[in-house]
Amino acid sequence: MKKYTVTGMSCAACQTRVEKAVQKVPGVKSCSVSLLTNSLAVEGEASETAVQDAVEKAGYGFISDTKSEARKEDALEDRETPKLKKRFLQSLVFLLVLMTLSMGPMLFHFSLPTVLRYPGILALTEMLLAIIVMLINKKFFTSGFSALFRLAPNMDSLVALGSSASFLYSLGVLYGINYYLELGNAEMAHQIGHHLYFETAAMIPTLITLGKLLEAISKGRTTDALKSLMNLSPKKAHLLTGEQETEVSVEEVKEGDLFTVYPGEQIPVDGIIVSGTTAVDESALTGESLPVDKGEGDNVSAGTLNRSGFIKAKASRVGKDTTLSQIIQMVSDAAATKAPIARIADQISGIFVPAVIGIAILT
């Protein structure tokens, strides 16, 4: 199974779109896209270039297998939550002001300032507040309309269409208010002023941003286990060349190399002890709370902790072949694999957006 990273996905419809695009590539037996880890798992003989072309033609970003490995931890870093939190709080401030102006007098009998009691001025103020909220959440509109123009609408498309429809309808009402005021018909201007929906145009992206914020928080917690496993991987090793000891990156250690481990250090790669005795804390891999005594000829595993003695060992498995790396890979593959019920949900999401747009047009 080959794994890649896909960027730019925002919902289950995006996930389904990428899967359908990759499934059509000659040589692909099966594929699975995880919105949780932004990963694409592909089985088959299809080349990386062909897969990349399919993903990019579908409108999403692609990071190759080698680059994905190099930045796997970086890809799991939660950068979305702070951005979404800032967006939501900014939107909420302007939305509350807008809701106070539009709904306050009717629901809570608020008394508006004199200047805002004129329907034309009130409508213009509401429009400006709605524009501010829509600009704060412009990502919905750029992503949504871009997907719509590619004939691959996603959830952002629904948000963009719903908010824009409310705004454009209200803009038409604003013209009507000014038209009747120009004719001197203040009563009619007040009457149609009740049909402004600028607060709806602002409410839709604000609520969806809140939903995405909660989703990002949940996603961040879910990937914590995978990040914790990755943090167990040692970064440095003491490589022994003759009698000379050199500190190198763990990626430079090759099978058959001799390395040393001092008390209190993590063992960098899987190996066999050639000299020395120690007690190794293997709880990170086995859950065993007590240190295990190790001596010449015993195996040691990457990520475990040398508790007491100084040892020299010969590398037996390095890189992706270490026990720890294989555990990380298994957990990562499990996150990228879907349960049957999840596949049914994805199939529904693939027709959900077009169905909603179709029903809206009929309505």
Side-chain angles (χ1 to χ4, degrees), residues 133-172:
V133 175
M134 293 168 77
L135 286 174
I136 291 171
N137 296 283
K138 63 183 179 181
K139 189 174 180 181
F140 287 128
F141 300 90
T142 54
S143 169
F145 284 120
S146 175
L148 189 62
F149 295 148
R150 292 197 309 267
L151 301 180
N154 55 21
M155 292 299 291
D156 287 353
S157 301
L158 292 183
V159 175
L161 285 172
S163 182
S164 298
S166 301
F167 183 86
L168 292 174
Y169 181 88
S170 301
L171 185 61

Coordinates of all heavy atoms in Angstrom, one line a residue, residues 133-172:
V133 N -18.6 40.0 8.0 CA -18.6 38.6 8.4 C -18.3 37.7 7.2 O -17.5 36.8 7.3 CB -20.0 38.2 9.0 CG1 -20.0 36.7 9.3 CG2 -20.3 39.0 10.3
M134 N -18.9 38.0 6.1 CA -18.6 37.2 4.9 C -17.1 37.3 4.4 O -16.6 36.3 4.0 CB -19.5 37.7 3.7 CG -21.0 37.3 4.0 SD -22.2 38.1 2.9 CE -22.0 37.1 1.4
L135 N -16.5 38.5 4.6 CA -15.1 38.6 4.3 C -14.2 37.9 5.2 O -13.2 37.3 4.8 CB -14.7 40.1 4.3 CG -15.2 40.9 3.1 CD1 -14.9 42.4 3.2 CD2 -14.6 40.4 1.8
I136 N -14.6 37.9 6.5 CA -13.8 37.1 7.5 C -13.9 35.6 7.1 O -12.9 34.9 7.3 CB -14.4 37.3 8.9 CG1 -14.2 38.7 9.4 CG2 -13.8 36.3 9.9 CD1 -14.9 39.1 10.7
N137 N -15.0 35.2 6.6 CA -15.1 33.7 6.2 C -15.1 33.6 4.7 O -15.7 32.7 4.2 CB -16.5 33.2 6.8 CG -16.5 33.2 8.3 OD1 -16.0 32.4 8.9 ND2 -17.2 34.2 8.8
K138 N -14.2 34.3 4.0 CA -14.1 34.3 2.6 C -13.7 32.9 2.0 O -14.0 32.6 0.9 CB -13.2 35.4 2.1 CG -11.8 35.2 2.5 CD -10.9 36.4 2.0 CE -9.5 36.3 2.5 NZ -8.6 37.4 2.1
K139 N -13.0 32.1 2.9 CA -12.6 30.8 2.5 C -13.7 30.0 2.0 O -13.6 29.2 1.1 CB -11.8 30.1 3.6 CG -11.1 28.9 3.2 CD -10.3 28.3 4.3 CE -9.6 27.0 3.8 NZ -8.7 26.4 4.9
F140 N -14.9 30.1 2.6 CA -16.1 29.3 2.2 C -16.4 29.7 0.8 O -16.8 28.8 0.0 CB -17.3 29.6 3.1 CG -17.2 29.0 4.5 CD1 -17.4 29.7 5.6 CD2 -16.9 27.6 4.6 CE1 -17.3 29.2 6.9 CE2 -16.8 27.0 5.9 CZ -17.0 27.8 7.0
F141 N -16.4 30.9 0.4 CA -16.8 31.4 -0.9 C -15.8 31.1 -2.0 O -16.2 30.7 -3.0 CB -17.1 32.9 -0.8 CG -18.2 33.3 0.2 CD1 -17.8 33.6 1.5 CD2 -19.5 33.3 -0.2 CE1 -18.8 33.9 2.5 CE2 -20.5 33.6 0.8 CZ -20.1 33.9 2.1
T142 N -14.5 31.2 -1.7 CA -13.5 30.9 -2.7 C -13.5 29.4 -2.9 O -13.5 29.0 -4.1 CB -12.1 31.4 -2.2 OG1 -11.8 30.8 -0.9 CG2 -12.1 32.9 -2.1
S143 N -13.5 28.6 -1.9 CA -13.5 27.2 -2.0 C -14.8 26.7 -2.6 O -14.8 25.8 -3.5 CB -13.3 26.5 -0.7 OG -13.5 25.1 -0.7
G144 N -15.9 27.2 -2.1 CA -17.3 26.7 -2.5 C -17.6 27.0 -4.0 O -18.0 26.1 -4.7
F145 N -17.3 28.2 -4.4 CA -17.6 28.6 -5.8 C -16.6 28.0 -6.8 O -17.0 27.6 -7.9 CB -17.7 30.1 -6.0 CG -18.9 30.7 -5.5 CD1 -18.9 31.7 -4.5 CD2 -20.2 30.3 -6.0 CE1 -20.1 32.3 -4.0 CE2 -21.4 30.9 -5.5 CZ -21.3 31.8 -4.5
S146 N -15.4 27.8 -6.3 CA -14.4 27.2 -7.2 C -14.8 25.7 -7.4 O -14.7 25.2 -8.6 CB -13.0 27.2 -6.4 OG -12.0 26.5 -7.2
A147 N -15.2 25.0 -6.4 CA -15.7 23.6 -6.6 C -16.9 23.6 -7.4 O -17.1 22.7 -8.2 CB -16.0 23.0 -5.2
L148 N -17.8 24.5 -7.3 CA -19.0 24.6 -8.0 C -18.8 24.8 -9.5 O -19.4 24.1 -10.4 CB -19.9 25.7 -7.5 CG -21.4 25.8 -8.1 CD1 -22.1 24.5 -7.7 CD2 -22.1 27.0 -7.6
F149 N -17.8 25.7 -9.8 CA -17.5 25.9 -11.2 C -16.8 24.7 -11.9 O -16.8 24.6 -13.1 CB -16.6 27.2 -11.3 CG -17.3 28.4 -10.9 CD1 -16.6 29.5 -10.3 CD2 -18.6 28.6 -11.1 CE1 -17.2 30.7 -10.0 CE2 -19.3 29.8 -10.8 CZ -18.6 30.8 -10.2
R150 N -16.1 23.9 -11.0 CA -15.5 22.6 -11.6 C -16.5 21.5 -11.6 O -16.2 20.3 -12.0 CB -14.4 22.2 -10.6 CG -13.2 23.1 -10.6 CD -12.0 22.3 -10.0 NE -12.3 21.7 -8.7 CZ -12.1 22.3 -7.5 NH1 -11.6 23.5 -7.5 NH2 -12.4 21.6 -6.4
L151 N -17.8 21.8 -11.4 CA -18.9 20.8 -11.4 C -18.7 19.7 -10.3 O -19.1 18.6 -10.5 CB -19.1 20.2 -12.8 CG -19.5 21.2 -13.9 CD1 -19.6 20.5 -15.2 CD2 -20.7 22.0 -13.5
A152 N -18.0 20.1 -9.2 CA -17.8 19.1 -8.1 C -18.1 19.8 -6.8 O -17.2 20.1 -6.0 CB -16.3 18.7 -8.1
P153 N -19.4 20.2 -6.6 CA -19.7 21.0 -5.4 C -19.5 20.2 -4.1 O -19.7 19.0 -4.1 CB -21.2 21.3 -5.7 CG -21.7 20.2 -6.6 CD -20.6 19.9 -7.5
N154 N -19.1 21.0 -3.1 CA -18.9 20.4 -1.8 C -19.7 21.1 -0.8 O -20.5 22.0 -1.1 CB -17.4 20.4 -1.4 CG -16.8 21.8 -1.5 OD1 -17.5 22.8 -1.5 ND2 -15.4 21.8 -1.7
M155 N -19.5 20.9 0.5 CA -20.2 21.5 1.6 C -20.0 23.0 1.6 O -20.9 23.8 1.9 CB -19.9 20.9 2.9 CG -20.3 19.5 3.1 SD -22.1 19.2 3.0 CE -22.6 20.1 4.5
D156 N -18.8 23.4 1.2 CA -18.5 24.9 1.1 C -19.4 25.5 0.1 O -19.7 26.7 0.2 CB -17.0 25.1 0.8 CG -16.1 24.8 2.0 OD1 -16.7 24.6 3.1 OD2 -14.9 24.8 1.9
S157 N -19.7 24.8 -1.0 CA -20.5 25.3 -2.0 C -21.9 25.6 -1.5 O -22.5 26.7 -1.8 CB -20.6 24.3 -3.2 OG -19.4 24.0 -3.7
L158 N -22.4 24.7 -0.6 CA -23.8 25.0 0.0 C -23.7 26.2 0.9 O -24.7 27.0 0.8 CB -24.2 23.8 0.8 CG -24.5 22.5 0.0 CD1 -25.0 21.4 1.0 CD2 -25.5 22.7 -1.1
V159 N -22.7 26.4 1.6 CA -22.5 27.5 2.5 C -22.5 28.8 1.7 O -23.2 29.8 2.0 CB -21.3 27.4 3.4 CG1 -21.1 28.7 4.2 CG2 -21.4 26.2 4.3
A160 N -21.7 28.8 0.6 CA -21.5 30.0 -0.2 C -22.8 30.3 -0.9 O -23.2 31.5 -1.0 CB -20.4 29.7 -1.2
L161 N -23.5 29.3 -1.4 CA -24.8 29.6 -2.1 C -25.8 30.1 -1.2 O -26.6 31.0 -1.5 CB -25.3 28.3 -2.8 CG -24.5 27.9 -4.1 CD1 -25.0 26.5 -4.5 CD2 -24.7 28.9 -5.2
G162 N -25.9 29.5 0.0 CA -27.0 29.9 1.0 C -26.7 31.3 1.5 O -27.7 32.1 1.5
S163 N -25.5 31.6 1.8 CA -25.2 32.9 2.3 C -25.4 34.0 1.2 O -25.9 35.1 1.4 CB -23.8 33.0 2.8 OG -23.4 34.2 3.4
S164 N -24.9 33.7 0.0 CA -25.0 34.6 -1.1 C -26.4 34.9 -1.5 O -26.8 36.0 -1.9 CB -24.2 34.1 -2.3 OG -22.8 33.9 -2.0
A165 N -27.2 33.8 -1.5 CA -28.7 34.0 -1.9 C -29.3 34.9 -0.9 O -30.1 35.8 -1.3 CB -29.4 32.6 -1.9
S166 N -29.1 34.7 0.4 CA -29.7 35.6 1.4 C -29.2 37.1 1.2 O -30.0 38.0 1.3 CB -29.2 35.2 2.8 OG -29.7 33.8 3.1
F167 N -27.9 37.2 0.9 CA -27.4 38.6 0.8 C -27.9 39.3 -0.5 O -28.4 40.4 -0.4 CB -25.8 38.5 0.6 CG -25.2 39.8 0.5 CD1 -24.8 40.5 1.7 CD2 -24.9 40.4 -0.7 CE1 -24.2 41.8 1.6 CE2 -24.3 41.6 -0.8 CZ -24.0 42.3 0.4
L168 N -28.0 38.5 -1.6 CA -28.5 39.2 -2.8 C -30.0 39.5 -2.7 O -30.4 40.5 -3.2 CB -28.2 38.2 -4.0 CG -26.7 38.0 -4.4 CD1 -26.6 37.0 -5.5 CD2 -26.1 39.4 -4.8
Y169 N -30.7 38.6 -2.1 CA -32.2 38.9 -1.9 C -32.3 40.1 -1.1 O -33.2 41.0 -1.4 CB -32.8 37.7 -1.2 CG -34.3 37.9 -1.0 CD1 -35.2 37.5 -2.0 CD2 -34.8 38.4 0.2 CE1 -36.6 37.7 -1.8 CE2 -36.2 38.6 0.4 CZ -37.1 38.2 -0.6 OH -38.4 38.4 -0.4
S170 N -31.6 40.2 0.0 CA -31.7 41.4 0.9 C -31.2 42.7 0.2 O -31.7 43.8 0.5 CB -30.8 41.2 2.2 OG -31.2 40.0 2.9
L171 N -30.2 42.5 -0.7 CA -29.7 43.7 -1.5 C -30.9 44.2 -2.3 O -31.1 45.4 -2.5 CB -28.5 43.3 -2.3 CG -27.8 44.4 -3.1 CD1 -27.3 45.5 -2.1 CD2 -26.7 43.8 -3.9
G172 N -31.6 43.3 -2.9 CA -32.8 43.7 -3.7 C -33.8 44.4 -2.9 O -34.4 45.4 -3.3

